[in-house]
Amino acid sequence: MNETHFLNRRSKLLDSMEEGVAIITSAPTKTRSNDTEYPYRQNSDFYYLCGFNEDNSILVLIKTHEFTKTILFVEAHNEIHALWNGARLGVDGALKRFSVDEVHESAEYAGMIKELLREHINLYIDLYNASPRLIEAKTAAEALQSMRGVKRHIRSIRDVTHLIRTLRLIKSELEIAHIRKALTITAEAHHIAMQKCRVGMKEYQLQAAMSYVFLNSGAMSEAYGAIVAGGNNANTLHYVDNRDELREGDLVLIDAACEWELYASDITRTFPINGKFSEAQKEVYEKVLDVQLRVIDAIKPNVKRDWLQSYSEELLCDALIELGILVGERNALIEAKEHKKYAPHGIGHWMGLDVHDPCPYVDEAGESLAFEAGMVMTIEPGLYFRADDESVHERYRGIGIRIEDNILVTESGYENLSAMIAKRVEEIEAMCQL
């Protein structure tokens, strides 16, 4: 993305602010063990606004009735750091790269923040972030209250993340292109897993085959911790051990995907380890698939997400009745939440810079948001029947199935961005035989 893209985002954020100062900080580095660190992953809100991938950076946006100003604080270039960890952009490099009004060294922030807040009445920060930089800002605001000669003080501390994440709801064409790229790689990885899967393999061996595709294709990382769950392990929704053996006659549920330029994909496929669905597996699988296809087909602008969730629960409850797992009238069963035992999670979530994009689901009045063109959401119905659940017919015990795709809302309806990934029974069985 070029700088114009980020400049436009900052301009939109300033437009959505009242007069005041917004401070957005980069993500800190995180220690893995002793003196080793996890691979660095930038704060998505910070990256959204400036596309800068270095730690210990601060973005400050100032808005008055007369002008706006953008200031970026960055770590100074340091030869020792460059030797051990790579060169930083530094002040001069940042001035050349970013369309901001000022660039300063991060070390200057503490000495400047009081003056930057002077005569302002609103401070926009992440209210739930304990960053030392934000604590310094609040301390400076407090000091200004008792300082002579200051006519106006910070009277309101507001949540900047809500403003940013509202902007993040609608993806640009370039953002969608990044998601498409991530999905192209993820599609190859899922197909490789289907082709390589054999009875007796370990779950982690399938994960390794997919990880190779991600890294070999240039994706820097998985978008989240991969789930490779054989047999009854699929009935643990966030199973991440991935250590068990894949057994004859079982299914394997794989929820794994990569990110591209920090934009996520999020895909789940469930397929038979031996390449052929049993009758019981096929019966449940096609119920889940039918629900997914019908829910996806209902997506279009002005449809509300809450309605989509309710619709999906009705369809899943109907499926459970048809399978003989639930008995009774659908609405009464839903009212009693009987279906939740077997279909416990929601139908999907926003997706973008975060695999679970923390964008709002309701408007300012607390009403469910209606879909608009440019929104991207996962659709992932599932049915889960634990091996030890004697309330389920024996033929279904140990079956856990989830099918997940990534859906773009368009002006006229939707586009399934992951439609290239094998999903129908005959497609999966054919892929497994390659």
Side-chain angles (χ1 to χ4, degrees):
M1 294 184 184
N2 60 37
E3 177 58 13
T4 301
H5 213 81
F6 300 106
L7 177 62
N8 289 340
R9 291 172 175 175
R10 295 194 293 270
S11 296
K12 288 179 180 179
L13 177 57
L14 283 162
D15 288 343
S16 70
M17 291 168 48
E18 295 182 16
E19 179 186 358
V21 178
I23 302 173
I24 303 95
T25 60
S26 62
T29 57
K30 293 186 178 181
T31 300
R32 181 183 184 276
S33 173
N34 191 23
D35 59 352
T36 62
E37 296 172 344
Y38 286 104
Y40 186 69
R41 174 50 160 85
Q42 187 58 278
N43 171 7
S44 294
D45 288 336
F46 183 87
Y47 185 85
Y48 181 80
L49 293 170
C50 60
F52 192 35
N53 220 14
E54 290 186 14
D55 66 312
N56 202 21
S57 305
I58 310 105
L59 179 66
V60 178
L61 305 178
I62 300 172
K63 180 177 182 179
T64 72
H65 291 303
E66 291 80 30
F67 67 88
T68 63
K69 180 184 283 189
T70 301
I71 303 171
L72 185 63
F73 292 86
V74 303
E75 278 290 300
H77 175 78
N78 180 288
E79 290 297 333
I80 294 176
H81 184 279
L83 173 64
W84 288 93
N85 300 301
R88 291 186 180 273
L89 198 59
V91 172
D92 291 340
L95 279 168
K96 293 176 182 177
R97 174 174 165 182
F98 301 110
S99 297
V100 297
D101 299 297
E102 299 176 17
V103 178
H104 301 277
E105 292 184 8
S106 298
E108 299 177 43
Y109 171 84
M112 293 178 61
I113 187 58
K114 187 182 294 184
E115 193 60 31
L116 292 176
L117 294 179
R118 188 184 182 99
E119 304 295 343
H120 290 286
I121 60 173
N122 293 308
L123 174 59
Y124 290 85
I125 60 172
D126 180 347
L127 297 177
Y128 305 103
N129 187 335
S131 162
R133 300 304 193 182
L134 300 183
I135 293 172
E136 287 173 334
K138 288 186 280 188
T139 301
E142 183 179 3
L144 285 166
Q145 283 189 313
S146 57
M147 186 177 291
R148 291 185 179 183
V150 179
K151 298 177 182 178
R152 302 196 306 167
H153 313 95
I154 298 295
R155 298 199 303 266
S156 177
I157 299 180
R158 303 190 175 196
D159 181 20
V160 73
T161 64
H162 179 73
L163 299 180
I164 299 170
R165 293 167 187 180
T166 298
L167 295 175
R168 284 172 57 183
L169 260 175
I170 308 298
K171 274 60 179 179
S172 69
E173 290 186 7
L174 190 50
E175 288 179 288
I176 294 166
H178 283 343
I179 294 171
R180 288 186 195 276
K181 176 64 174 180
L183 282 167
T184 298
I185 299 168
T186 294
E188 181 184 355
H190 274 273
H191 289 159
I192 288 292
M194 292 177 191
Q195 293 165 22
K196 287 186 175 294
C197 185
R198 296 291 184 272
V199 173
M201 289 179 69
K202 300 290 190 179
E203 293 164 336
Y204 59 75
Q205 290 177 298
L206 280 188
Q207 181 182 4
M210 298 184 75
S211 295
Y212 174 82
V213 174
F214 297 155
L215 293 174
N216 191 54
S217 301
M220 294 302 292
S221 71
E222 296 175 334
Y224 51 94
I227 296 169
V228 182
N232 192 54
N233 291 336
N235 294 308
T236 299
L237 298 184
H238 287 171
Y239 174 82
V240 292
D241 289 347
N242 302 348
R243 307 302 297 173
D244 284 353
E245 184 175 305
L246 300 173
R247 299 187 301 272
E248 172 64 38
D250 281 347
L251 299 172
V252 59
L253 182 156
I254 300 182
D255 188 341
C258 71
E259 63 179 32
W260 183 264
E261 298 293 336
L262 275 68
Y263 281 84
S265 54
D266 186 2
I267 296 296
T268 307
R269 289 293 185 265
T270 310
F271 59 91
I273 292 166
N274 65 10
K276 184 73 175 177
F277 286 92
S278 71
E279 286 304 313
Q281 291 167 350
K282 181 178 178 181
E283 190 178 358
V284 178
Y285 187 92
E286 291 192 327
K287 293 292 184 189
V288 176
L289 179 59
D290 179 64
V291 170
Q292 197 217 26
L293 293 173
R294 291 168 70 178
V295 170
I296 291 173
D297 201 46
I299 293 175
K300 60 184 177 180
N302 298 319
V303 168
K304 292 197 171 185
R305 182 190 175 276
D306 276 5
W307 176 87
L308 200 71
Q309 176 64 36
S310 296
Y311 179 52
S312 71
E313 292 189 34
E314 290 174 358
L315 295 176
L316 286 166
C317 192
D318 285 343
L320 289 164
I321 293 169
E322 291 164 6
L323 290 168
I325 291 168
L326 291 181
V327 177
E329 193 270 327
R330 178 228 280 165
N331 291 341
L333 291 168
I334 290 176
E335 180 69 23
K337 301 188 184 303
E338 294 290 335
H339 63 302
K340 285 294 187 181
K341 179 179 179 181
Y342 310 104
H345 57 75
I347 191 59
H349 53 79
W350 304 131
M351 192 188 79
L353 274 171
D354 294 290
V355 67
H356 293 167
D357 241 7
C359 304
Y361 287 91
V362 297
D363 60 21
E364 294 298 327
E367 296 294 324
S368 176
L369 284 179
F371 290 131
E372 297 179 45
M375 293 178 174
V376 177
M377 186 179 189
T378 68
I379 297 296
E380 49 182 305
L383 289 176
Y384 309 91
F385 308 132
R386 296 193 62 83
D388 59 358
D389 187 350
E390 295 184 1
S391 68
V392 173
H393 193 286
E394 187 175 359
R395 64 193 263 106
Y396 301 132
R397 292 178 201 166
I399 293 177
I401 293 171
R402 180 164 66 253
I403 308 171
E404 179 179 23
D405 282 295
N406 302 160
I407 309 302
L408 168 68
V409 184
T410 66
E411 295 288 350
S412 58
Y414 70 88
E415 179 187 351
N416 184 349
L417 299 175
S418 49
M420 77 291 280
I421 307 175
K423 181 169 66 174
R424 296 185 182 275
V425 167
E426 59 274 16
E427 293 172 341
I428 287 175
E429 291 184 342
M431 186 65 66
C432 289
Q433 301 306 317
L434 291 178

